[in-house]
Amino acid sequence: MNAISKQPEDEIDEALAYHQGDMRATIAALLAEREFLLREIEYASLAMSYGFARGWKPGREKIAR
């Protein structure tokens, strides 16, 4: 697979441009997408067996960087 990797700054600029530079709208859209993806992970975890996930369950814990 030969994907072009983007720099985080480029992705930030693209997200802001999509929302015409409105930072609040950009953040709101990202938070809504995050909630959607968390729900999707929760639904997928219901279909996974305990052994497949080795006991891991999705959580809402913050990932430190």
Side-chain angles (χ1 to χ4, degrees), residues 12-34:
I12 293 168
D13 291 340
E14 285 180 21
L16 284 169
Y18 183 82
H19 294 283
Q20 291 82 37
D22 185 347
M23 288 185 278
R24 292 183 64 82
T26 303
I27 293 169
L30 291 171
L31 290 173
E33 184 67 19
R34 177 185 179 272

Side-chain angles (χ1 to χ4, degrees), residues 2-65:
N2 189 10
I4 299 172
S5 64
K6 293 182 180 180
Q7 296 298 319
E9 296 81 19
D10 296 338
E11 293 179 342
I12 293 168
D13 291 340
E14 285 180 21
L16 284 169
Y18 183 82
H19 294 283
Q20 291 82 37
D22 185 347
M23 288 185 278
R24 292 183 64 82
T26 303
I27 293 169
L30 291 171
L31 290 173
E33 184 67 19
R34 177 185 179 272
E35 287 301 314
F36 170 77
L37 292 173
L38 285 172
R39 265 193 322 276
E40 291 295 307
I41 290 171
E42 289 170 359
Y43 294 149
S45 72
L46 294 173
M48 289 188 306
S49 69
Y50 181 84
F52 180 77
R54 303 206 187 283
W56 176 84
K57 292 289 182 181
R60 294 181 178 261
E61 63 272 355
K62 187 176 181 180
I63 298 173
R65 290 189 179 216

